[in-house]
């Protein structure tokens, strides 16, 4: 019984130590690697794509978009080994639709915005190319106001923090009997 | 005595060894450092430029990324792991020999090799479990889509990188048993560990000058991380393009040498150690 208390207790304290490390990692601020922003009219059936960018799991993509009219926002994932990574700028809507139909697995975001504000963050779980595409599917002109920020981070902060928040209480529960036992022994001696 | 009967003394020796090797808060400090080091040193970017940069690279891009990620997180945490293992073998076993604790264990209804196994499980096994558990979990949190499909590359990189430290651990075990104290074997272990970087540097220069990989091939037999670096990165030069089977061969040979040194340690402990 005492041996199991020791084993579980030390396991608990190790979990607490790992949680502290993860919490510390999540507190390391992310670095802004660059921002591209613009305001532009998007004509009916016009496609506008940002340049393809290689992202790693330690880089993220912050997108803020304000739309007047109707705009479809796509974030497309193209692996760095894929042949079409070099020519991701679509010439027209037909080419875009053809690509979307042929590669549904490469679509990360597919949002339809109508006179609204859109803000999303994306961090990949592998090394990949990412291309942000805006498309006006309507017959009326639309105004697109966008800001794309590339960030660099040590680890995905929210994910790491959530794990720490779960691991720490489990660690405390496991370690408590062992710590109490140790405290009692010290008191007796 | 039945095998059931031997289980309890074995557990007794193992728990005593773990208690001595990982006094509170040693284990916790190392777990914290591994956790922090895994994320702080992780890098996925460096390898992208290496991909296809040289015609020596025969691995696929995803394998190169996985290899680069593991190599980056191994940098400082591996040194911390080595310090822990060296401390456990040199001081853990050394002080047990000096204080006569091993003699006490000899009175247990347990074979000598069982006692050494329990000591090594504590000194090496627990340290490896903690190190690999935290590092691989950390990598999975960071990049699951790199790690899971390339698990073979990840494990091979760990196997190749840990081979030389394990060889030194085996040599330290032999020295500690022979000298019956840990101080000198700890110094020898540290010297051997740092000497490898000097020796591999000289071997690389020699290979580049002569344009033959022989010196690197010889060193790869005890430190297969060199052949792995060449296989995934091709950074050492155009004169050597090892195939994957060659990488496996060198890694296998290095573990045969490691196993041989540990068998020597077991043989000495079981038959020659007189206390």
């Amino acid at each position: 019984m005492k041996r199991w208390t020791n084993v579980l207790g030390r396991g608990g304290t190790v979990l607490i130590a790992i949680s502290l490390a993860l919490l510390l990692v999540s507190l390391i601020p992310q670095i802004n690697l660059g921002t591209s922003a613009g305001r532009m009219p998007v004509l009916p059936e016009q496609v506008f794509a940002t340049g393809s960018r290689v992202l790693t799991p330690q880089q993220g993509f912050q997108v803020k978009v304000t739309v007047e009219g109707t705009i479809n926002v796509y974030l497309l994932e193209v692996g760095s080994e894929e042949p079409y990574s070099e020519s991701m700028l679509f010439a027209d809507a037909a080419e875009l639709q053809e690509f979307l139909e042929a590669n549904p697995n490469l679509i990360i975001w597919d949002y339809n915005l109508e006179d609204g504000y859109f803000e999303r963050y994306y961090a990949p779980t592998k090394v990949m190319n990412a291309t942000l595409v805006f498309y006006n599917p309507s017959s009326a002109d639309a105004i697109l106001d966008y800001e794309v920020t590339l960030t660099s981070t040590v680890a995905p902060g929210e994910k790491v923090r959530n794990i720490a928040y779960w691991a720490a209480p489990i660690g405390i529960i496991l370690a408590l009997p062992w710590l109490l036992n140790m405290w009692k022994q010290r008191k007796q001696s | 005595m039945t095998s059931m009967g031997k289980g309890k003394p074995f557990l007794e020796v193992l728990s005593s060894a773990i208690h001595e090797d990982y006094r509170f808060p040693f284990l916790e400090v190392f777990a914290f450092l591994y956790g922090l080091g895994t994320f702080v040193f992780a890098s996925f970017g460096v390898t992208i430029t290496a991909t296809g940069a040289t015609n020596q690279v025969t691995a696929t891009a995803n394998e190169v990324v996985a290899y680069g990620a593991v190599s980056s997180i191994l940098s400082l945490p591996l040194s911390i792991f080595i310090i822990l293992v060296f401390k456990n073998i040199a001081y853990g076993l050394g002080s047990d020999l000096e204080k006569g604790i091993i003699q006490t264990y000899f009175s247990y209804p347990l074979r000598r090799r069982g006692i050494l196994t329990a000591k090594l499980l504590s000194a090496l096994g627990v340290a490896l479990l903690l190190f690999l558990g935290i590092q691989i979990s950390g990598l999975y949190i960071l990049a699951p889509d790199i790690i899971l499909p390339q698990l073979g590359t990840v494990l091979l990189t760990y196997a190749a990188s840990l081979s030389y430290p394990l060889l030194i651990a085996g040599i330290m075990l032999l020295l500690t048993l022979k000298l019956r104290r840990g101080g000198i074997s700890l110094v020898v272990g540290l010297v051997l560990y740092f000497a490898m970087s000097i020796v591999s540097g000289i071997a690389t220069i020699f290979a580049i000058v002569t344009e033959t990989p022989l010196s690197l091939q010889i060193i790869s037999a005890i430190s297969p991380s060199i052949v792995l670096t060449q296989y995934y990165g091709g950074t050492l030069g155009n004169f050597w393009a090892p195939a994957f089977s060659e990488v496996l061969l060198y890694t296998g040979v290095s573990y045969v040498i490691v196993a041989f040194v540990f068998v020597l340690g077991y043989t000495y402990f079981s038959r020659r150690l007189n206390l």
Side-chain angles (χ1 to χ4, degrees):
Chain A
M1 184 64 191
K2 194 178 173 239
R3 191 174 284 154
W4 277 111
T5 310
N6 285 348
V7 170
L8 291 176
R10 292 306 295 278
T13 51
V14 166
L15 262 183
I16 295 168
I18 294 168
S19 306
L20 286 175
L22 293 179
L23 267 181
L24 197 64
V25 165
S26 74
L27 291 175
I28 298 171
Q30 58 183 27
I31 303 164
N32 190 339
L33 293 177
T35 303
S36 68
R39 184 180 168 82
M40 57 180 287
V42 184
L43 302 174
E45 293 296 308
Q46 189 188 350
V47 179
F48 166 66
T50 64
S52 184
R53 171 99 211 185
V54 176
L55 294 178
T56 75
Q58 289 176 312
Q59 289 174 335
F61 215 72
Q62 176 83 42
V63 180
K64 292 176 188 171
V65 175
T66 307
V67 171
E68 291 169 26
T70 305
I71 294 271
N72 283 3
V73 181
Y74 301 101
L75 182 63
L76 305 178
E77 172 193 331
V78 182
S80 51
E81 282 180 305
E82 302 297 330
Y84 26 73
S85 59
E86 295 302 317
S87 56
M88 275 301 297
L89 298 177
F90 301 100
D92 52 33
E95 204 174 299
L96 172 67
Q97 291 303 335
E98 196 182 315
F99 178 86
L100 294 177
E101 279 165 25
N103 304 286
N105 55 323
L106 299 181
I107 305 168
I108 303 164
W109 293 346
D110 180 357
Y111 294 109
N112 178 259
L113 305 178
E114 279 183 47
D115 295 315
Y117 177 74
F118 170 86
E119 186 176 341
R120 287 283 184 285
Y121 180 79
Y122 177 72
T125 51
K126 61 181 179 183
V127 178
M128 54 164 270
N129 276 13
T131 302
L132 192 66
V133 179
F134 301 105
Y135 165 55
N136 181 355
S138 69
S139 53
D141 286 7
I143 302 290
L144 172 69
D145 199 342
Y146 72 94
E147 187 184 295
V148 181
T149 308
L150 187 69
T151 58
S152 174
T153 178
V154 169
E158 205 182 317
K159 200 174 175 184
V160 167
R161 210 175 301 122
N162 282 339
I163 294 168
Y165 287 160
W166 277 100
I170 295 170
I172 291 167
I173 291 166
L174 290 175
L176 214 57
W178 179 72
L179 288 169
L180 281 172
N181 205 16
M182 207 163 67
W183 180 67
K184 272 183 199 167
Q185 277 178 351
R186 287 210 176 159
K187 213 176 163 187
Q188 277 171 359
S189 61
Chain B
M1 170 119 348
T2 62
S3 60
M4 277 292 276
K6 280 177 186 173
K8 209 175 175 194
F10 180 83
L11 279 179
E12 201 70 46
V13 177
L14 178 64
S15 67
S16 161
I18 290 173
H19 181 74
E20 283 302 313
D21 288 338
Y22 305 99
R23 283 184 173 276
F24 183 78
F26 257 103
L27 198 62
E28 290 74 9
V29 168
F30 279 93
F32 178 82
L33 291 174
Y34 293 155
L36 198 62
T38 300
F39 290 100
V40 170
F41 292 101
S43 169
F44 297 89
V46 179
T47 51
I48 296 165
T49 52
T51 310
T54 161
N55 55 10
Q56 291 304 300
V57 178
T58 47
T60 68
N62 286 334
E63 285 175 346
V64 175
V65 170
Y67 165 74
V70 177
S71 297
S72 66
I73 66 164
L74 269 172
S75 53
L76 191 72
L78 183 63
S79 305
I80 297 169
F81 165 77
I82 285 163
I83 290 168
L84 178 65
V85 169
F86 287 9
K87 186 266 312 170
N88 284 348
I89 289 181
Y91 275 108
L93 193 64
S95 71
D96 278 4
L97 285 163
E98 276 181 77
K99 290 175 189 170
I101 296 169
I102 295 288
Q103 279 164 299
T104 315
Y105 289 152
F106 284 170
S107 65
Y108 285 32
L110 188 65
R111 285 186 178 178
R112 283 190 173 198
R113 65 166 184 261
I115 296 167
L116 189 60
T117 303
K119 291 294 292 177
L120 288 177
L121 264 180
S122 163
L124 268 173
V126 175
L128 259 178
L129 199 70
L130 187 75
F131 179 69
L132 292 179
I134 292 175
Q135 286 237 312
I136 295 175
S137 306
L139 267 180
Y140 180 77
I141 292 168
L142 268 176
D145 290 337
I146 293 176
I147 299 315
L148 274 187
Q150 308 301 331
L151 197 61
T153 304
V154 171
L155 295 178
L156 181 66
T157 309
Y158 276 111
S161 305
L162 287 169
S163 163
Y164 184 61
L166 289 176
L167 177 66
I168 303 174
I171 293 168
M172 283 174 66
L173 172 72
L174 270 175
L175 272 176
T176 308
L177 293 175
K178 183 84 184 152
L179 302 171
R180 290 173 204 181
R181 59 173 63 97
I184 294 170
S185 67
L186 182 66
V187 172
V188 170
L190 288 172
V191 168
L192 281 175
Y193 178 64
F194 289 109
M196 179 45 84
S197 52
I198 299 167
V199 172
S200 64
I202 294 167
T204 306
I205 293 166
F206 192 77
I208 290 168
V209 170
T210 58
E211 293 202 334
T212 50
L214 186 67
S215 55
L216 292 173
Q217 285 168 332
I218 292 167
I219 291 182
S220 293
I222 56 166
S223 178
S225 57
I226 290 168
V227 67
L228 204 68
T229 306
Q230 186 67 359
Y231 176 72
Y232 286 119
T235 50
L236 300 176
N238 293 330
F239 51 83
W240 190 24
F244 186 68
S245 56
E246 217 176 327
V247 175
L248 290 179
L249 179 73
Y250 284 111
T251 310
V253 167
S254 74
Y255 275 93
V256 168
I257 296 169
V258 170
F260 176 71
V261 174
F262 274 93
V263 166
L264 280 181
Y266 267 94
T267 310
Y268 187 86
F269 189 80
S270 303
R271 296 181 188 170
R272 304 282 297 273
L273 186 68
N274 296 314
L275 294 171

